[in-house]
Amino acid sequence: MKKSIALLFTLILVIGILPFGASASENIYVTVDGATLNFDQPPIMQNDRVLVPMRLIFETLGATVEWDEYNQYVKATKEDISITMQIGNNTMVKNGQYITLDTAPILLNGRTLVPVRAVAESLEATVEWDGNTNTCLLYTSPSPRDRQKS
């Protein structure tokens, strides 16, 4: 009996420390034009890409969002830009053009998470990463770095 309990405990411990594809070990922040976004599902890092809940990021960047539960598609529209993504599919369609993503959208804790850089750049935002603070900086107008170059 003691051996079974010890074996079970060891198995639980080993499973608990194994790395998985999605990581939330460090807090990841996302700002848009200097304002920090507060997600109900924290952003995660997967395959060195930041994934965030879709609705807040799309709407903050001025897009309307549609979700097709049956086919697990998300469609975002902003003026003349249309983006379609599907859970588990690493191809995004922007205005009929197919774009291969490094990381596909996923479902996590009842939320659809999408790669923030692909989404933001498709909606014509500028993206920068601050590794010192784990912050993804999005700008809807030229970033401070771009303004310094002018």
Side-chain angles (χ1 to χ4, degrees), residues 49-60:
R49 297 292 179 252
V50 175
L51 290 112
V52 297
M54 68 164 185
R55 187 164 301 278
L56 182 58
I57 195 67
F58 280 128
E59 290 177 350
T60 301

Side-chain angles (χ1 to χ4, degrees), residues 3 15 37 45 70 78 80 86 102 133:
K3 286 183 182 180
I15 290 173
L37 299 184
M45 184 76 71
Y70 181 76
K78 178 183 177 184
D80 61 344
Q86 183 181 30
D102 294 330
T133 61

Side-chain angles (χ1 to χ4, degrees), residues 10 77 100 102 121 129 142-143:
T10 303
T77 307
T100 301
D102 294 330
E121 289 179 349
W129 173 252
S143 73

